Amino acid sequence: MKVETLERLNRARQAGHPSLLITDIKNGDQSIVIGKQWSGSIPESIILNDNAARILREDRARTVESDGRQFFIQPFNPPLRLIVVGAVHISQALVPMAALAGYAVTVIDPRRGFANDERFPNVTLLDAWPDEGLSELAPDARTAVVTLTHDPKLDDPALDVALRSDAFYIAALGSKRTHAARLERLATLGHDQAALDRIHGPAGLALGAVSPAEIAVSVLAQMTQVLRRRDNTA
Amino acid sequence: MQNDDILSLAADWHAAGRQVALATVVSTWGSSPRPAGSHLLIDRDGKMMGSVSGGCIEGAVVREAQEVIDTGEHRLLDYGVTNEQAWDVGLACGGKVQVYVEKLS
């Protein structure tokens, strides 16, 4: 690979532009596609535009044959996102674990005593009200939203926004009883049963987790399960 | 670590004056441990980051990559099931994997 090709690809990735790297695995020719812009020696005709879009959507590299040549096509999407509502103890464990798993993490909490750089180094903190912060971040199908404050004043508005989005995973911390009461409140905001069923509550797989770090493991495990099982049935 | 970080690391290693090759899984069959698109970064001294298997073939890929760095010619490598009697390199899991190795130049 030419250094210039790698640098161009890295710039596109860092800017959050979905991109493709196409390699002729016999002769070593390469092209990159950023948006609809092609550069490199491989002709555009080897891959149709809707194929490019599909490979990006499925987020899975593959080999394709065209004109008797074999091309390896690798998609690069912006990272998955995790939005955590509540800068609490569990969040301090969940944030670095999710970052290791490849998520770009943002923590929303209007309470400065919780959301500060000392408790959360190296993560984006948003000291907004959860509904405003979440609306601003606009969760999409590559975003997970987890509410961890235990406080309906903070969690409910966040869940209200999350349920109106395409977020692939929505979870809320709290016991079964807390969760049942939460669902009743959200129903009065106009969410039907199908919408309410999208919320994983109590959050996380039932591992019997006790400590904040163990609960974080159970939440990240469930998030992974929802993400990958969805991928397999797509 | 996120797989994508390997490409940033490749640029960093090259900028630091190291000679590097990038190995990429391009096809898999059966129960191979790393999916297509997984990267292993190798320098001339044999230092490596990332992975193209569960550790089964990395040693062999590193040696091939050092030759790719010397010759500048890319290679397409095929690894299948381990045959213990023949002492060949392969995947104990029973999968097969094809790896593309290229020099960064």
Side-chain angles (χ1 to χ4, degrees):
Chain A
M1 191 190 302
K2 292 194 174 69
V3 177
E4 303 81 62
T5 305
L6 178 66
E7 285 175 345
R8 185 175 294 172
L9 180 63
N10 282 345
R11 277 197 300 275
R13 292 192 306 122
Q14 277 146 20
H17 300 310
S19 333
L20 297 172
L21 173 65
I22 304 175
T23 305
D24 181 326
I25 58 177
K26 289 289 187 293
N27 71 14
D29 282 356
Q30 277 171 326
S31 282
I32 51 178
V33 187
I34 301 166
K36 294 208 164 156
Q37 195 192 339
W38 282 66
S39 52
S41 51
I42 296 173
E44 290 188 36
S45 56
I46 71 114
I47 176 175
L48 300 168
N49 261 329
D50 55 337
N51 272 344
R54 188 168 55 88
I55 290 170
L56 279 166
R57 193 173 62 245
E58 292 175 3
D59 199 27
R60 199 172 299 157
R62 76 198 59 196
T63 311
V64 301
E65 290 213 22
S66 177
D67 287 341
R69 298 163 75 183
Q70 272 196 309
F71 298 98
F72 177 65
I73 304 178
Q74 182 163 14
F76 296 93
N77 279 300
L80 294 160
R81 289 190 297 163
L82 168 62
I83 302 169
V84 178
V85 176
V88 297
H89 197 176
I90 294 169
S91 314
Q92 287 178 283
L94 180 59
V95 166
M97 286 183 196
L100 270 178
Y103 288 84
V105 187
T106 304
V107 177
I108 304 177
D109 199 320
R111 303 167 299 178
R112 279 312 190 116
F114 288 89
N116 59 62
D117 291 337
E118 188 180 12
R119 288 165 52 81
F120 289 89
N122 309 316
V123 62
T124 308
L125 291 172
L126 203 56
D127 63 344
W129 280 93
D131 49 348
E132 291 167 8
L134 209 54
S135 297
E136 188 182 318
L137 294 169
D140 58 18
R142 292 176 52 80
T143 308
V145 178
V146 179
T147 66
L148 298 174
T149 72
H150 270 131
D151 181 345
K153 285 198 306 297
L154 295 169
D155 283 352
D156 285 8
L159 291 167
D160 182 33
V161 174
L163 288 177
R164 298 176 202 280
S165 79
D166 290 333
F168 76 88
Y169 177 77
I170 302 171
L173 192 73
S175 68
K176 284 188 178 139
R177 191 191 305 174
T178 307
H179 189 58
R182 171 187 297 135
L183 294 182
E184 283 177 25
R185 292 192 305 273
L186 288 169
T188 65
L189 295 175
H191 296 289
D192 62 17
Q193 193 58 44
L196 298 177
D197 286 346
R198 290 175 64 199
I199 306 175
H200 294 266
L205 296 181
L207 305 179
V210 175
S211 70
E214 289 170 357
I215 294 166
V217 166
S218 79
V219 171
L220 185 57
Q222 188 175 48
M223 201 185 305
T224 306
Q225 183 182 56
V226 170
L227 174 74
R228 297 305 179 190
R229 292 228 168 128
R230 173 193 70 164
D231 282 0
N232 287 338
T233 55
Chain B
M1 287 293 147
Q2 202 188 353
N3 186 48
D4 290 2
D5 289 344
I6 296 298
L7 295 185
S8 298
L9 195 61
D12 292 347
W13 281 18
H14 183 270
R18 293 159 76 168
Q19 291 197 292
V20 299
L22 185 68
T24 305
V25 175
V26 294
S27 302
T28 66
W29 297 265
S31 58
S32 56
R34 297 284 286 129
S38 303
H39 292 301
L40 179 71
L41 177 67
I42 307 102
D43 77 356
R44 182 65 192 80
D45 296 335
K47 292 203 174 65
M48 62 172 181
M49 288 293 268
S51 65
V52 288
S53 75
C56 321
I57 60 168
E58 272 77 0
V61 172
V62 165
R63 285 191 295 280
E64 297 273 357
Q66 289 172 305
E67 290 179 24
V68 166
I69 289 170
D70 287 342
T71 64
E73 298 293 322
H74 61 271
R75 289 183 187 182
L76 194 57
L77 310 172
D78 285 289
Y79 296 97
V81 185
T82 310
N83 180 343
E84 284 178 33
Q85 261 112 37
W87 292 98
D88 58 352
V89 175
L91 298 164
C93 55
K96 285 201 291 183
V97 60
Q98 193 171 44
V99 179
Y100 180 81
V101 186
E102 60 191 320
K103 183 181 183 179
L104 189 60
S105 56

